[in-house]
Amino acid sequence: MHSQDYDRLYLSPPHLGRHEINYLHKAIEDNWVAPVGPNLDGFEQDVCAFTGVKHALALNSGTAAIHLGLRLLGVGPGDEVLCPSFTFVATANPISYLGATPVFIDSEAETWNMCPERLREALEDMRRRNRRPRALIVVHLYGMPARLREILALAEEFEVPVLEDAAEALGATYEGRPLGSFGAVGVFSFNGNKILTTSGGGMLTTNNADWAAKARAWATQARDEAPYYQHSELGYNYRLSNLLAGIGRGQMGLLDDRVKKRREIYAWYQAKLQDLPGLGFGPTEPAEGRSNRWLTCLLLDPTETTIMPEQLRLHLESHNIESRPLWKPLHLQPLFAGLPMYGGAVCTDLFTRGLCLPSGSALTETDLYRVARAIRELWPT
Ligand SMILES: *Cc1c(COP(=O)(O)O)cnc(C)c1O
């Protein structure tokens, strides 16, 4: 077989429905081609209705939402912010934007998210040094709920406010409640590869009305109430376009279906490939959590197979199938060299052994068989 024989299978491409075009069409017809308009209001209301959070602010990226959210929590120069090492760099970059420093925490092996034991270690260690972290970012990586009960209890005990990075976790739940609704601030991403997309976009959620108003002002250059352009505070140009919010409205209506499909894809890969020695899947759902299975991740066990993730990735590439290494831990990034890290063995091991497979909700069973067949080729028969 040659790679040209097939269309390329992507990791997680956009999957549009029938209604996005109507919202776009209406916006253009009504000349709402600006970072303000009815689609923005509607998109925010949709996210409030879905998450049960009182206020939502549509922004041009999830990164912008983390930036504004950390500023709401009071993060500033010289502060320390607790953050998992095993995440996308966008989780931690806004800490640096604000002149603060990340303190990295290792994962635990089941959910792959922030380890409550390492977190306690960090909090106690910092307390001994009379340092209180200004904020804690909890991430639900690959849509898998973190151990929220333990983490939120620690945050309360040590009086550290929580920002919930649910960029990958829209539609996932913990104790039956939507992720993104547990932190003082919640963050979603609608980037092109996420479970829902506006091509690029983000959302900040909070139950605090003052914070919502503040973030809204900061997102549009922090203009004072005056007839002329007067500014007392530092602002940004972070608002989402009313056009893209129209795509978001159409997408929100599809969320339940998209979660169902991604979960089916995970279960399909697992059922069809679990007989291969040394090949497993993860992360594992905690009893009280339900993942959206944004990406299906496999793990190779070097005690049972000599096949390495990079070898598998290149093999899939030769079949015109895109796959991707797991997130490289942030404590291993040159950008963050020398920063504090509590633990590290768990996420480093996951990074070494894992690979993300095509997981888009538009994949057909024929596509999935193509991926499974290509993977099987590497295993001795
Ligand atoms: C995608 C992502 C972000 C950032 O969202 P953007 O919309 O791409 O800025 C933040 N955190 C995590 C974990 C993500 O996967």
Side-chain angles (χ1 to χ4, degrees):
M1 291 292 175
H2 291 283
S3 52
Q4 301 92 298
D5 291 351
Y6 293 118
D7 291 336
R8 184 162 176 77
L9 287 182
Y10 291 97
L11 195 76
S12 181
H15 185 190
L16 295 185
R18 279 177 296 121
H19 297 299
E20 290 85 345
I21 192 75
N22 300 331
Y23 290 108
L24 276 172
H25 197 259
K26 182 92 169 75
I28 289 168
E29 218 167 61
D30 297 345
N31 205 31
W32 280 112
V33 186
V36 61
N39 281 339
L40 268 173
D41 300 340
F43 187 28
E44 290 173 352
Q45 283 159 18
D46 290 347
V47 169
C48 284
F50 184 83
T51 57
V53 177
K54 289 201 186 95
H55 308 279
L57 176 64
L59 299 165
N60 55 23
S61 74
T63 310
I66 295 171
H67 187 187
L68 296 183
L70 289 177
R71 192 169 154 191
L72 285 173
L73 299 184
V75 174
D79 286 336
E80 287 172 310
V81 176
L82 297 162
C83 174
S85 175
F86 197 40
T87 183
F88 181 41
V89 72
T91 302
N93 275 342
I95 301 171
S96 306
Y97 299 169
L98 289 161
T101 310
V103 173
F104 295 119
I105 311 287
D106 199 0
S107 303
E108 47 91 15
E110 198 175 46
T111 70
W112 299 3
N113 288 309
M114 183 180 268
C115 173
E117 277 143 52
R118 294 292 88 71
L119 174 61
R120 175 175 282 284
E121 218 173 275
L123 286 163
E124 285 177 350
D125 185 44
M126 289 173 82
R127 180 185 268 169
R128 270 194 297 277
R129 294 184 289 115
N130 277 322
R131 300 278 311 178
R132 181 171 348 139
R134 183 68 62 177
L136 184 164
I137 305 180
V138 61
V139 182
H140 310 293
L141 213 63
Y142 302 114
M144 178 60 64
R147 295 204 177 280
L148 280 174
R149 205 185 314 128
E150 293 90 332
I151 292 168
L152 294 178
L154 282 168
E156 200 177 301
E157 182 186 337
F158 288 82
E159 297 175 73
V160 184
V162 174
L163 182 143
E164 199 185 350
D165 179 352
E168 301 177 2
L170 182 63
T173 61
Y174 187 82
E175 289 173 347
R177 225 173 96 191
L179 295 187
S181 70
F182 288 86
V185 171
V187 168
F188 296 107
S189 168
F190 295 89
N191 196 26
N193 59 1
K194 297 285 157 63
I195 191 157
L196 300 185
T197 182
T198 57
S199 77
M203 192 77 72
L204 180 153
T205 56
T206 180
N207 283 315
N208 185 319
D210 292 340
W211 285 5
K214 240 187 221 183
R216 198 170 288 270
W218 291 341
T220 48
Q221 309 290 14
R223 193 178 161 188
D224 294 345
E225 276 192 49
Y228 34 81
Y229 279 81
Q230 176 174 297
H231 307 272
S232 306
E233 280 193 290
L234 178 64
Y236 318 89
N237 183 5
Y238 274 176
R239 205 62 169 122
L240 187 69
S241 156
N242 185 63
L243 289 175
L244 300 185
I247 301 178
R249 289 184 85 179
Q251 287 272 283
M252 280 303 289
L254 302 164
L255 181 52
D256 289 343
D257 173 73
R258 299 303 191 244
V259 171
K260 183 166 170 277
K261 189 66 204 287
R262 297 245 181 188
R263 288 180 61 87
E264 282 167 9
I265 288 168
Y266 180 88
W268 191 96
Y269 279 126
Q270 202 172 32
K272 290 292 191 280
L273 294 169
Q274 63 186 359
D275 61 300
L276 294 178
L279 190 152
F281 291 87
T284 309
E285 282 176 329
E288 58 282 11
R290 191 179 147 90
S291 172
N292 67 10
R293 293 295 182 193
W294 171 52
L295 295 182
T296 289
C297 310
L298 62 73
L299 277 184
L300 298 174
D301 181 349
T303 64
E304 289 185 49
T305 177
T306 57
I307 298 160
M308 300 290 287
E310 180 58 9
Q311 182 188 355
L312 182 52
R313 190 186 72 79
L314 292 172
H315 178 72
L316 291 172
E317 193 56 48
S318 77
H319 284 275
N320 212 8
I321 297 168
E322 185 185 25
S323 62
R324 190 167 72 183
L326 303 192
W327 298 120
K328 179 171 178 176
L330 298 186
H331 77 282
L332 300 178
Q333 301 287 352
L335 175 65
F336 297 120
L339 292 185
M341 170 73 192
Y342 289 85
V346 176
C347 65
T348 302
D349 174 63
L350 291 169
F351 170 63
T352 315
R353 300 197 289 114
L355 193 71
C356 303
L357 297 178
S359 308
S361 45
L363 285 168
T364 64
E365 192 163 30
T366 312
D367 295 333
L368 292 172
Y369 269 115
R370 197 178 128 197
V371 180
R373 225 181 302 121
I375 292 173
R376 252 174 210 291
E377 281 176 2
L378 274 192
W379 264 260
T381 43

